[in-house]
Amino acid sequence: MDVKEAMQIWDSLGSAIDEIHNRNASLLSFEELYRNAYNLVLQKHGALLYEGVSDKLTKHLLRTVERLAEVPDSSLLEEMARTWEEHHITMVMVRDILMYMDRTYVLQNRRRAIYDMGVHLFRVTVWEHPRVQSRVTNLLLEAIASERAGLLTDDRTLLKKNLNMLLALGSADSSNVYERDFESVFLGSTQEFYREESLSYLSRNTASDYVKKAQERIEEEKVRSNALSLAPSTEAPLLSIVETELIERHARTLVDLENSGFAELLKDETKIENLGAIYALFVRVPSTVDFLRDALSERIKADGLSFIADQKTGAAEPPAFVKGVLRMRERNEKIVMQAFQGEKKAMKRLKESFEDFLNVDARAASCLALYVDDLLRTQLRGKTELEVNAELQNAIVIFRYLSDKDVFEAYYKGHLAKRLLSGKSVSDESERAMVSLLKAECGYQFTSKLEGMFNDMRISKDMRDAYKAHKKNVNDSDGKKGSKPIDMEVDVLTNGYWPSQNVPPCNLPVPVKDAMDRFSEFYLQKHTGRKLSWQTSTGTVELRATFGSGPNKYRRHELVVSTYQMCILVLYNDKQTLTLGQIRSETQIPDMELRRHLISLCTPKHRILKKGSRGKAITSDEDTFTFNADYTSKLKRVRIPLVSMKETTTANSGDGSAAVSAQSLTESGA
């Protein structure tokens, strides 16, 4: 085939391309056109065909861009979308006609495929025209800005078609048309828009309102991105920019905002939904959640330290401290589980925060021991097994936060000793349940001494029964009559198990010493090689006392007192009035304990003694204490409670006379 014949064939193909552009493709025979193109390529006229197609397309596109350049902005997006769609259809038809050339000539000569060449020519001829590209880009950005301002756009489909065109233009010739002419400008304008809007909105609204607005904006951007089919390369940076401007840039402010910030909302347990909304927003930018965890931690520590301060000033009782901590933990655990969606890092911060303030000093351990003491003395009475277990589990919750658990063990052991020796426990089952929980937490070694204390009490009970039987046998065999000896019940304790008592023994009345000697003789006969050390700072005494000033006016009461109080009161069998110095000399009771026990005997409700000096304090060794013969009570059996160390309340002075009878004395716990 010569050049002339080849040109004739090209002329027919060129005319066919014109018809396709003019939307008259139905008049053409595509089979004939394909055969003509095939022959041209086969006869080595591929270059003629390729260049001819390029020139033909360029001429059509030049006429197209001249028309587009004059289209007004109001209809440019629509015209651009229609023009691109028509060009795409044209190029698909032309590609089908020239399919053989694509498979041979194009590959052999490393030229663009016919369709890609048509797209490339559209980009450089139409899109990059100065009256087209800049206007289309601006119209796209303006349409998106209008949506963000709450105005309805005419048709999102037009935006989507134009954006798809840009993606196609870039993919056809590996250019960055979409990124260069739209994406970079779009992301920049987005950042500027949300930076200005977020600052303005936050300055006029509460944190919760801002969070709601921010969530709405993020969802809007997601929906818009999906509706416009933005490229993956745009969607991720777009959301990152939105989240940075709406969340990360204002995270600290949203936490600290006065009256409505996250830190403020933590004070109100009814605001969990608001707290959860803030967390749901912040979790989009993981690094910002640290601000929320920090705020939670600071709130817990602040509340906890206020409880500690109340203990330092004496504004609250120790059990109230533990109850407050338990309520605070329940509230904050609810916040973590609901607002923080049970996040492990938040749960860890909660644990660390409680540990932080509870281990400031030993007060928490002391308060917890007193709280458990209160439970096991009175508060668990009448409760079911499940309720008892729940209360004790609450104590274990606080116990787990204590770093130096041996400090708690020391306090707990002291209170347990008092409960066991005074018989003030609600039940043995509750006591053992608590020890079992402690063993489960810390192991056998931690509770071995506590279990030893229970064992001592069991052995002591058997010992008391044996001693009673022994005394009965001795009395029956001796057949003695006369004054009844003092009846004494003794608990024998193992030194290594029980809290150490470094208090020297006081001077006891002779009848009490005799009773102690009789028990010692009995015990050491059964347990040779052992040594008994009497703890006179503990124990309870039932003391018969006579009040009144004449034979017909005597009133007899049984006073339930401590061992120290008994030692003080029996001195008044011989004297009516004694000074502090005289009482100390006679009893050898340590000074602080002596003052405490004397004040307990001078209280308005139980004024067994009258203090000579005025005022609440015992000021000197010369202060006098006189037996109050006028003491009255409606009760036959009167328990004289001990005041705490910090109490200094005393009664006004008075005088009178009476005798204290020690004919029958019962002592336990010596």
Side-chain angles (χ1 to χ4, degrees), residues 15-77:
S15 297
I17 292 173
D18 290 337
E19 292 299 327
I20 291 171
H21 267 293
N22 294 329
R23 298 292 167 264
N24 294 321
S26 60
L27 304 176
L28 303 174
S29 170
F30 277 82
E31 182 180 350
E32 180 181 350
L33 294 172
Y34 178 85
R35 190 183 309 114
N36 288 337
Y38 174 85
N39 288 330
L40 280 177
V41 176
L42 191 65
Q43 297 299 322
K44 307 301 180 184
H45 294 290
L48 170 67
L49 179 58
Y50 191 89
E51 296 301 331
V53 171
S54 177
D55 291 342
K56 182 66 71 175
L57 293 174
T58 300
K59 289 176 182 177
H60 278 289
L61 291 173
L62 285 172
R63 289 194 295 273
T64 298
V65 76
E66 288 176 2
R67 176 179 57 80
L68 284 174
E70 301 304 321
V71 172
D73 289 351
S74 59
S75 55
L76 180 58
L77 290 180

Coordinates of all heavy atoms in Angstrom, one line a residue, residues 15-77:
S15 N -12.8 11.2 8.9 CA -14.2 11.6 8.8 C -15.1 10.9 9.8 O -16.0 11.5 10.3 CB -14.7 11.4 7.3 OG -14.0 12.1 6.4
A16 N -14.7 9.6 10.0 CA -15.5 8.8 10.9 C -15.3 9.4 12.3 O -16.3 9.5 13.1 CB -15.0 7.4 10.9
I17 N -14.1 9.8 12.7 CA -13.9 10.4 14.0 C -14.7 11.7 14.1 O -15.2 12.0 15.2 CB -12.3 10.7 14.2 CG1 -11.6 9.3 14.3 CG2 -12.1 11.5 15.4 CD1 -10.1 9.5 14.3
D18 N -14.8 12.5 13.1 CA -15.6 13.7 13.1 C -17.0 13.4 13.4 O -17.7 14.1 14.2 CB -15.5 14.5 11.8 CG -14.1 15.1 11.5 OD1 -13.4 15.3 12.6 OD2 -13.7 15.4 10.4
E19 N -17.5 12.3 12.7 CA -18.9 11.9 12.9 C -19.2 11.4 14.4 O -20.2 11.7 15.0 CB -19.3 10.8 12.0 CG -19.3 11.2 10.5 CD -20.4 12.3 10.3 OE1 -21.4 12.3 10.9 OE2 -20.1 13.1 9.4
I20 N -18.1 10.8 14.9 CA -18.3 10.3 16.3 C -18.4 11.5 17.2 O -19.2 11.6 18.2 CB -17.1 9.4 16.7 CG1 -17.2 8.1 16.0 CG2 -17.1 9.2 18.2 CD1 -15.9 7.2 16.1
H21 N -17.5 12.5 17.0 CA -17.6 13.8 17.8 C -18.9 14.5 17.6 O -19.4 15.1 18.6 CB -16.4 14.7 17.3 CG -15.2 14.6 18.1 ND1 -15.0 14.9 19.4 CD2 -13.9 14.1 17.7 CE1 -13.8 14.7 19.8 NE2 -13.1 14.2 18.8
N22 N -19.5 14.4 16.4 CA -20.8 15.0 16.2 C -22.0 14.2 16.6 O -23.1 14.5 16.3 CB -20.9 15.4 14.7 CG -19.8 16.4 14.3 OD1 -19.4 17.3 15.1 ND2 -19.4 16.3 13.0
R23 N -21.7 13.1 17.3 CA -22.7 12.2 17.8 C -23.6 11.5 16.7 O -24.8 11.3 16.8 CB -23.7 12.9 18.7 CG -23.0 13.5 20.0 CD -22.5 12.3 20.8 NE -21.6 12.7 21.9 CZ -20.3 12.7 21.8 NH1 -19.7 12.2 20.7 NH2 -19.5 13.0 22.8
N24 N -22.9 11.2 15.6 CA -23.5 10.5 14.4 C -22.9 9.1 14.3 O -22.8 8.5 13.1 CB -23.3 11.3 13.1 CG -24.1 12.6 13.2 OD1 -25.2 12.7 13.7 ND2 -23.5 13.7 12.6
A25 N -22.5 8.5 15.3 CA -21.8 7.2 15.3 C -22.7 6.1 14.7 O -22.2 5.1 14.2 CB -21.3 6.8 16.7
S26 N -24.0 6.3 14.9 CA -24.9 5.2 14.4 C -24.9 5.0 12.9 O -25.3 4.0 12.4 CB -26.3 5.5 14.9 OG -26.8 6.8 14.3
L27 N -24.4 6.1 12.2 CA -24.3 6.0 10.7 C -23.1 5.2 10.2 O -22.9 5.0 9.0 CB -24.3 7.4 10.1 CG -25.5 8.3 10.6 CD1 -25.3 9.7 10.0 CD2 -26.8 7.7 10.1
L28 N -22.2 4.9 11.1 CA -20.9 4.3 10.8 C -20.9 2.8 10.8 O -21.7 2.2 11.6 CB -19.8 4.9 11.7 CG -19.6 6.4 11.7 CD1 -18.6 6.8 12.8 CD2 -19.2 6.9 10.3
S29 N -20.0 2.2 10.0 CA -19.8 0.7 10.1 C -18.5 0.5 10.9 O -17.4 0.7 10.3 CB -19.7 0.1 8.7 OG -19.3 -1.2 8.8
F30 N -18.6 0.1 12.1 CA -17.4 0.0 12.9 C -16.5 -1.2 12.4 O -15.3 -1.1 12.6 CB -17.8 -0.2 14.4 CG -18.0 1.1 15.1 CD1 -19.3 1.7 15.0 CD2 -17.1 1.7 15.8 CE1 -19.5 2.9 15.6 CE2 -17.3 2.9 16.5 CZ -18.6 3.5 16.4
E31 N -17.1 -2.2 11.8 CA -16.4 -3.3 11.3 C -15.5 -2.8 10.1 O -14.3 -3.2 10.0 CB -17.3 -4.4 10.8 CG -16.6 -5.6 10.3 CD -17.6 -6.7 9.8 OE1 -18.8 -6.5 10.0 OE2 -17.1 -7.7 9.2
E32 N -16.0 -2.0 9.3 CA -15.2 -1.5 8.1 C -14.1 -0.5 8.6 O -13.0 -0.6 8.1 CB -16.2 -0.7 7.2 CG -15.5 -0.2 6.0 CD -16.4 0.6 5.0 OE1 -17.6 0.6 5.2 OE2 -15.9 1.3 4.1
L33 N -14.5 0.3 9.6 CA -13.5 1.2 10.2 C -12.3 0.4 10.8 O -11.1 0.8 10.7 CB -14.1 2.2 11.2 CG -15.1 3.2 10.6 CD1 -15.8 3.9 11.7 CD2 -14.4 4.1 9.6
Y34 N -12.7 -0.6 11.6 CA -11.6 -1.4 12.2 C -10.7 -2.0 11.2 O -9.5 -2.1 11.3 CB -12.3 -2.5 13.1 CG -11.3 -3.4 13.7 CD1 -10.7 -3.1 15.0 CD2 -10.9 -4.6 13.1 CE1 -9.8 -3.9 15.6 CE2 -10.0 -5.5 13.7 CZ -9.5 -5.1 15.0 OH -8.5 -5.9 15.6
R35 N -11.3 -2.6 10.0 CA -10.5 -3.2 9.0 C -9.6 -2.2 8.3 O -8.4 -2.5 8.0 CB -11.5 -3.8 7.9 CG -10.8 -4.7 7.0 CD -11.7 -5.3 5.9 NE -12.9 -5.9 6.5 CZ -14.1 -5.4 6.3 NH1 -14.3 -4.3 5.6 NH2 -15.2 -6.0 6.9
N36 N -10.1 -1.0 8.1 CA -9.2 0.0 7.5 C -8.0 0.4 8.4 O -6.9 0.5 7.9 CB -10.0 1.3 7.2 CG -11.0 1.1 6.0 OD1 -10.8 0.2 5.2 ND2 -12.0 1.9 6.0
A37 N -8.3 0.6 9.7 CA -7.2 0.9 10.6 C -6.2 -0.3 10.7 O -5.0 -0.1 10.7 CB -7.8 1.2 12.0
Y38 N -6.8 -1.5 10.7 CA -6.0 -2.7 10.7 C -5.0 -2.8 9.5 O -3.8 -3.1 9.6 CB -6.9 -3.9 10.7 CG -6.2 -5.3 10.6 CD1 -5.7 -5.9 11.8 CD2 -6.1 -5.9 9.4 CE1 -5.0 -7.1 11.6 CE2 -5.4 -7.1 9.3 CZ -4.9 -7.7 10.4 OH -4.3 -8.9 10.3
N39 N -5.5 -2.5 8.3 CA -4.7 -2.5 7.1 C -3.6 -1.5 7.1 O -2.5 -1.7 6.7 CB -5.6 -2.3 5.9 CG -6.5 -3.5 5.6 OD1 -6.1 -4.7 5.9 ND2 -7.6 -3.3 5.0
L40 N -4.0 -0.2 7.6 CA -2.9 0.8 7.7 C -1.8 0.4 8.6 O -0.6 0.6 8.2 CB -3.5 2.1 8.2 CG -4.3 3.0 7.3 CD1 -4.9 4.2 8.0 CD2 -3.4 3.4 6.1
V41 N -2.1 -0.2 9.7 CA -1.0 -0.6 10.6 C -0.2 -1.8 10.0 O 1.0 -1.8 10.1 CB -1.6 -1.0 12.0 CG1 -0.5 -1.5 12.9 CG2 -2.3 0.2 12.6
L42 N -1.0 -2.7 9.4 CA -0.4 -3.9 8.9 C 0.6 -3.5 7.7 O 1.7 -4.1 7.6 CB -1.4 -4.8 8.4 CG -1.0 -6.3 8.0 CD1 -0.5 -7.0 9.2 CD2 -2.1 -7.0 7.4
Q43 N 0.2 -2.4 7.0 CA 1.1 -2.0 5.8 C 2.1 -0.9 6.2 O 2.5 -0.2 5.4 CB 0.1 -1.4 4.7 CG -0.8 -2.4 4.1 CD -0.1 -3.6 3.5 OE1 0.9 -3.4 2.8 NE2 -0.7 -4.8 3.6
K44 N 2.4 -0.9 7.5 CA 3.5 0.0 8.0 C 3.1 1.4 8.0 O 4.0 2.3 7.9 CB 4.8 -0.3 7.3 CG 5.2 -1.7 7.2 CD 5.4 -2.3 8.6 CE 5.9 -3.8 8.5 NZ 6.0 -4.4 9.9
H45 N 1.9 1.8 8.1 CA 1.5 3.2 8.1 C 0.9 3.6 9.5 O 0.0 4.4 9.6 CB 0.4 3.5 7.0 CG 1.0 3.3 5.6 ND1 1.9 4.2 5.1 CD2 0.8 2.4 4.7 CE1 2.3 3.8 3.9 NE2 1.6 2.7 3.6
G46 N 1.4 2.9 10.5 CA 0.9 3.2 11.9 C 1.2 4.6 12.4 O 0.3 5.2 13.0
A47 N 2.4 5.1 12.0 CA 2.7 6.5 12.4 C 1.7 7.5 11.8 O 1.3 8.4 12.5 CB 4.1 6.8 12.0
L48 N 1.4 7.3 10.5 CA 0.4 8.1 9.9 C -0.9 8.1 10.6 O -1.5 9.2 10.9 CB 0.2 7.7 8.4 CG -0.9 8.4 7.7 CD1 -0.6 9.8 7.4 CD2 -1.2 7.6 6.3
L49 N -1.4 6.9 11.0 CA -2.6 6.8 11.7 C -2.6 7.4 13.1 O -3.5 8.2 13.5 CB -3.0 5.3 11.8 CG -4.3 5.0 12.5 CD1 -5.5 5.7 11.8 CD2 -4.5 3.5 12.5
Y50 N -1.5 7.2 13.8 CA -1.4 7.6 15.2 C -1.4 9.2 15.2 O -2.1 9.8 16.0 CB -0.1 7.1 15.8 CG -0.1 7.3 17.3 CD1 -0.6 6.4 18.2 CD2 0.5 8.4 17.8 CE1 -0.6 6.6 19.6 CE2 0.6 8.7 19.2 CZ 0.1 7.7 20.1 OH 0.1 8.0 21.4
E51 N -0.5 9.8 14.3 CA -0.4 11.2 14.4 C -1.7 11.9 13.8 O -2.1 13.0 14.3 CB 0.8 11.7 13.5 CG 2.2 11.2 14.0 CD 2.4 11.7 15.4 OE1 1.9 12.8 15.8 OE2 3.2 11.0 16.2
G52 N -2.3 11.2 12.9 CA -3.6 11.8 12.3 C -4.6 11.8 13.4 O -5.4 12.8 13.5
V53 N -4.7 10.8 14.2 CA -5.7 10.7 15.3 C -5.4 11.8 16.3 O -6.3 12.6 16.8 CB -5.8 9.4 16.0 CG1 -6.6 9.4 17.2 CG2 -6.3 8.3 15.0
S54 N -4.1 12.0 16.6 CA -3.7 13.0 17.6 C -4.1 14.4 17.1 O -4.7 15.2 17.9 CB -2.2 12.9 17.9 OG -1.8 14.0 18.7
D55 N -3.8 14.7 15.8 CA -4.2 16.0 15.3 C -5.7 16.2 15.3 O -6.2 17.4 15.6 CB -3.6 16.2 13.9 CG -2.1 16.2 13.9 OD1 -1.5 16.5 15.0 OD2 -1.5 16.0 12.8
K56 N -6.4 15.2 14.9 CA -7.9 15.3 14.8 C -8.5 15.6 16.1 O -9.3 16.5 16.3 CB -8.4 14.0 14.2 CG -9.9 14.0 14.0 CD -10.4 15.0 12.9 CE -9.9 14.5 11.5 NZ -10.5 15.4 10.5
L57 N -8.0 14.9 17.2 CA -8.5 15.1 18.5 C -8.2 16.5 19.1 O -9.0 17.2 19.7 CB -8.0 14.0 19.5 CG -8.4 12.6 19.2 CD1 -7.7 11.7 20.2 CD2 -9.9 12.5 19.5
T58 N -7.0 16.9 18.8 CA -6.5 18.3 19.2 C -7.4 19.4 18.7 O -7.8 20.3 19.4 CB -5.1 18.5 18.9 OG1 -4.3 17.5 19.5 CG2 -4.6 19.9 19.3
K59 N -7.7 19.2 17.3 CA -8.6 20.3 16.7 C -9.9 20.3 17.4 O -10.5 21.4 17.6 CB -8.7 20.0 15.2 CG -7.4 20.2 14.4 CD -7.6 19.8 13.0 CE -6.3 20.0 12.2 NZ -6.4 19.5 10.8
H60 N -10.5 19.2 17.6 CA -11.8 19.1 18.2 C -11.8 19.7 19.6 O -12.7 20.5 20.0 CB -12.3 17.7 18.3 CG -13.0 17.2 17.0 ND1 -14.2 17.7 16.6 CD2 -12.5 16.3 16.1 CE1 -14.5 17.1 15.5 NE2 -13.5 16.2 15.1
L61 N -10.7 19.4 20.4 CA -10.6 19.9 21.8 C -10.4 21.4 21.8 O -10.8 22.1 22.7 CB -9.5 19.2 22.5 CG -9.8 17.7 22.8 CD1 -8.5 17.0 23.3 CD2 -11.0 17.5 23.7
L62 N -9.7 21.9 20.8 CA -9.4 23.4 20.8 C -10.8 24.1 20.6 O -11.0 25.2 21.2 CB -8.5 23.7 19.7 CG -7.0 23.4 20.0 CD1 -6.1 23.6 18.7 CD2 -6.5 24.3 21.1
R63 N -11.6 23.6 19.7 CA -12.9 24.2 19.5 C -13.8 24.1 20.8 O -14.5 25.0 21.2 CB -13.7 23.5 18.4 CG -13.1 23.9 17.0 CD -14.0 23.5 15.9 NE -14.3 22.0 15.8 CZ -13.5 21.2 15.1 NH1 -12.4 21.6 14.4 NH2 -13.8 19.9 15.1
T64 N -13.6 22.9 21.5 CA -14.3 22.7 22.7 C -13.9 23.7 23.8 O -14.8 24.3 24.5 CB -14.1 21.3 23.3 OG1 -14.6 20.4 22.3 CG2 -14.8 21.1 24.6
V65 N -12.6 23.9 24.0 CA -12.2 24.8 25.1 C -12.5 26.2 24.8 O -12.7 27.0 25.7 CB -10.6 24.6 25.3 CG1 -9.8 25.3 24.2 CG2 -10.2 25.1 26.7
E66 N -12.6 26.6 23.5 CA -13.0 28.0 23.2 C -14.4 28.2 23.7 O -14.7 29.3 24.2 CB -12.9 28.2 21.7 CG -11.4 28.3 21.2 CD -11.3 28.5 19.7 OE1 -12.4 28.5 19.0 OE2 -10.2 28.5 19.1
R67 N -15.2 27.2 23.5 CA -16.6 27.3 23.9 C -16.7 27.4 25.5 O -17.4 28.2 26.0 CB -17.4 26.1 23.4 CG -18.9 26.1 23.9 CD -19.6 24.9 23.2 NE -18.9 23.6 23.5 CZ -19.0 23.0 24.7 NH1 -19.8 23.5 25.7 NH2 -18.4 21.8 24.8
L68 N -16.0 26.5 26.1 CA -16.0 26.4 27.6 C -15.5 27.7 28.2 O -16.0 28.2 29.3 CB -15.2 25.3 28.1 CG -15.8 23.9 28.0 CD1 -14.8 22.8 28.4 CD2 -17.0 23.7 28.8
A69 N -14.5 28.3 27.6 CA -13.9 29.5 28.2 C -14.9 30.7 28.3 O -14.8 31.6 29.1 CB -12.7 30.0 27.3
E70 N -16.0 30.6 27.4 CA -17.0 31.6 27.4 C -18.2 31.3 28.3 O -19.1 32.1 28.4 CB -17.4 31.9 26.0 CG -16.3 32.4 25.1 CD -15.6 33.6 25.6 OE1 -16.3 34.5 26.2 OE2 -14.3 33.6 25.5
V71 N -18.3 30.1 28.8 CA -19.4 29.7 29.6 C -19.4 30.4 30.9 O -18.3 30.5 31.6 CB -19.4 28.1 29.8 CG1 -20.5 27.7 30.8 CG2 -19.6 27.4 28.5
P72 N -20.5 31.0 31.4 CA -20.5 31.7 32.7 C -20.3 30.7 33.9 O -20.6 29.5 33.8 CB -21.9 32.3 32.7 CG -22.7 31.5 31.8 CD -21.8 31.0 30.7
D73 N -19.9 31.2 35.0 CA -19.6 30.4 36.2 C -20.8 29.6 36.6 O -20.7 28.5 37.1 CB -19.1 31.2 37.4 CG -17.7 31.8 37.1 OD1 -17.1 31.3 36.1 OD2 -17.3 32.6 37.9
S74 N -22.0 30.2 36.4 CA -23.2 29.5 36.9 C -23.5 28.2 36.3 O -24.1 27.3 36.9 CB -24.4 30.4 36.7 OG -24.5 30.7 35.3
S75 N -23.0 28.0 35.1 CA -23.2 26.7 34.4 C -21.9 26.0 34.0 O -21.9 25.0 33.2 CB -24.1 26.9 33.1 OG -23.5 27.9 32.3
L76 N -20.8 26.5 34.4 CA -19.5 25.9 34.0 C -19.3 24.5 34.5 O -18.9 23.6 33.7 CB -18.3 26.8 34.5 CG -16.9 26.3 34.1 CD1 -16.8 26.2 32.6 CD2 -15.9 27.2 34.6
L77 N -19.7 24.2 35.7 CA -19.5 22.8 36.2 C -20.3 21.8 35.4 O -19.9 20.7 35.1 CB -19.9 22.7 37.7 CG -18.9 23.4 38.7 CD1 -19.4 23.2 40.1 CD2 -17.5 22.9 38.6

